Amino acid sequence: MHPDWAIATEELTRTFSKPRRRRGRWGLQWWRKPATENESPRQQNCFQGEDSNSFVALDRVTLQVRRGELFGLLGPNGAGKTTLIKILATLLAPTSGRAWVAGWDVVSHPQAIRPYINMVSGGETSGYGILTVRENLWLFARLYGIPTRLAYQRIDRLLAVVGLEDKAHTRISHLSTGQRQKMNFCRGFITDPMVLFLDEPTLGLDVASARTIRSFIREWLHEHPGRTILLTTHYLAEADELCDRLAIIDQGRLLACDSPAALKRLVQRHPRYSLHLTPGANGWAPLRGMSVIHNLEVIPRVGGVEVQLALRDEGAIGPVVQTLLQQGAQIVNLTKLEPSLEDVFLQLVGRRWEGDDPDGVLAAAQPRTPNVP
Ligand SMILES: Nc1ncnc2c1ncn2[C@@H]1O[C@H](COP(=O)(O)OP(=O)(O)O)[C@@H](O)[C@H]1O
Ligand SMILES: [Mg+2]
């Protein structure tokens, strides 16, 4: 494994056996339509393995994560994100292929890897109910050999970050689900791991808490150069905002891996603009004649129209605006349209992203753009 890589996988595959068919009360099998050859894996509801009793949750995934990187695994529910993280965290054995973390092979040297890693799963609410938040975190830190004084320093800081100071002495059985999740988030950082796996860390949290957690993740990496975070999410805006690079994964397969900006460039070969305007005497007709315009879409809006156009290059926007003004048009607003990761997913997978966007970040910041050649 290359010394600059914190994590690497090579043709990593994991299959699971399919659950047995349920039998009815009288020992009869429930009727089940057999999958046909023409059905997509999604229609068959699984990705068929080599034999019909297994399906592939992770399919020959090869990737490298550099030291110091905040690397994202973005994929819809059931894509295989948690399976991959569990293999890297030495909790699950791969079926085939290889994986290395901090230079060690996950199969042959799991014990060597464990002191260097930590893992937090969103939605996880583990811990000892009769212990308080502070006691739970202290216990966990001691299991990793962190001296008590240092452990309490880190605990108090982290509890303040997630806004749980006032619950420090509350038994965790008295916490809400979100509060327990925040406590578990703190647990991930207490050991100061070289490689931290965050599996959907903001899942189900309110908007403000999710924002706090995202900004802390960035801050922590900034303060601890050389530490690496592998984060999974099915929130597009979160992946876009946080990750240095990300891998898009669907149905166990890695579809693309690059920085969010580079991934977006994949789907947009021409700069796109939106002009909100009141058309002049000749409407927007003069634009149709301009050779620079690659695509023109006109959407009726209150007090005028919105014209969305793709230009051959950035320099063409000047002449377009000039022509419109000469025609007597009044331009109310001019916006450059950026493609979103949703567009990237659509292009790669051929279907729309079905996940949610809890912050509304995507909707607010990036108007949905039609696919343009
Ligand atoms: N222990 C298991 N046994 C059987 N199937 C599993 C098991 N763990 C995960 N799967 C299946 O593997 C696929 C990928 O799951 P997972 O990695 O949890 O996806 P994600 O985290 O992207 O939502 C899903 O279809 C899931 O049902
Ligand atoms: Mg998962």
Side-chain angles (χ1 to χ4, degrees):
M1 188 175 130
H2 194 282
D4 286 349
W5 296 340
I7 298 167
T9 70
E10 205 176 87
E11 299 274 306
L12 198 63
T13 298
R14 172 70 204 204
T15 58
F16 288 112
S17 48
K18 282 186 196 166
R20 289 195 175 176
R21 286 182 189 183
R22 285 177 57 198
R23 287 183 179 271
R25 196 170 163 193
W26 310 109
L28 295 171
Q29 279 188 359
W30 292 110
W31 181 82
R32 190 161 171 241
K33 183 170 80 71
T36 61
E37 271 184 21
N38 293 336
E39 278 182 336
S40 70
R42 181 158 273 263
Q43 284 167 309
Q44 291 172 19
N45 210 22
C46 61
F47 332 127
Q48 194 90 20
E50 273 174 19
D51 63 84
S52 60
N53 290 323
S54 68
F55 76 95
V56 185
L58 212 55
D59 194 0
R60 287 163 291 151
V61 169
T62 299
L63 57 81
Q64 296 89 32
V65 179
R66 296 181 199 116
R67 272 178 219 283
E69 208 169 27
L70 204 176
F71 189 93
L73 274 179
L74 175 68
N77 285 326
K81 306 181 294 293
T82 300
T83 304
L84 177 54
I85 271 207
K86 280 187 176 167
I87 293 175
L88 296 172
T90 73
L91 298 173
L92 187 72
T95 306
S96 63
R98 296 189 71 186
W100 299 263
V101 174
W104 301 97
D105 185 302
V106 293
V107 175
S108 59
H109 291 88
Q111 303 290 359
I113 292 173
R114 286 176 193 158
Y116 294 105
I117 63 171
N118 203 342
M119 175 177 171
V120 175
S121 300
E124 168 197 35
T125 53
S126 57
Y128 292 100
I130 56 161
L131 298 184
T132 67
V133 170
R134 216 161 173 258
E135 287 164 350
N136 260 293
L137 291 173
W138 171 83
L139 177 67
F140 187 80
R142 291 297 298 140
L143 291 175
Y144 270 73
I146 314 272
T148 290
R149 187 206 278 256
L150 181 60
Y152 279 134
Q153 274 172 11
R154 288 183 187 162
I155 290 167
D156 292 339
R157 183 191 166 203
L158 285 159
L159 290 180
V161 166
V162 299
L164 270 191
E165 312 106 299
D166 57 333
K167 300 286 177 198
H169 301 288
T170 304
R171 285 184 179 190
I172 68 164
S173 54
H174 294 168
L175 296 182
S176 71
T177 312
Q179 287 165 342
R180 279 175 87 153
Q181 193 176 327
K182 285 183 193 170
M183 186 198 80
N184 279 314
F185 178 78
C186 296
R187 189 176 51 67
F189 294 86
I190 288 235
T191 59
D192 194 14
M194 290 302 291
V195 178
L196 177 57
F197 299 105
L198 297 176
D199 192 8
E200 312 240 13
T202 59
L203 186 73
L205 290 182
D206 60 83
V207 172
S209 304
R211 282 205 185 126
T212 307
I213 279 182
R214 284 200 289 269
S215 62
F216 176 73
I217 291 172
R218 270 257 154 248
E219 199 182 306
W220 185 80
L221 270 185
H222 188 70
E223 282 175 12
H224 299 79
R227 303 287 192 268
T228 307
I229 292 184
L230 176 62
L231 171 137
T232 79
T233 182
H234 69 279
Y235 298 143
L236 292 159
E238 183 163 281
D240 201 357
E241 180 192 321
L242 267 185
C243 300
D244 299 320
R245 284 193 310 143
L246 51 95
I248 297 183
I249 174 168
D250 183 51
Q251 300 188 343
R253 265 178 246 127
L254 196 145
L255 303 174
C257 177
D258 215 326
S259 67
L263 287 170
K264 288 182 213 165
R265 279 197 296 273
L266 283 177
V267 294
Q268 196 178 59
R269 276 182 267 150
H270 301 278
R272 290 180 60 82
Y273 287 88
S274 157
L275 285 135
H276 190 162
L277 53 88
T278 315
N282 295 323
W284 50 90
L287 286 181
R288 293 193 190 277
M290 291 186 72
S291 58
V292 286
I293 292 165
H294 186 72
N295 168 293
L296 179 65
E297 198 171 324
V298 183
I299 307 156
R301 295 273 183 242
V302 179
V305 288
E306 182 192 338
V307 183
Q308 288 190 1
L309 34 88
L311 305 179
R312 212 153 279 161
D313 56 64
E314 297 280 356
I317 189 66
V320 165
V321 169
Q322 216 170 5
T323 309
L324 283 165
L325 293 176
Q326 278 164 4
Q327 297 289 323
Q330 284 188 324
I331 299 175
V332 183
N333 193 11
L334 170 67
T335 317
K336 183 153 193 266
L337 296 175
E338 299 293 346
S340 67
L341 288 178
E342 194 173 0
D343 298 323
V344 178
F345 186 82
L346 176 67
Q347 175 137 330
L348 290 172
V349 182
R351 63 169 201 275
R352 291 215 84 87
W353 181 265
E354 286 159 17
D356 41 356
D357 170 27
D359 288 15
V361 178
L362 206 67
Q366 295 168 343
R368 182 174 291 184
T369 58
N371 230 19
V372 176

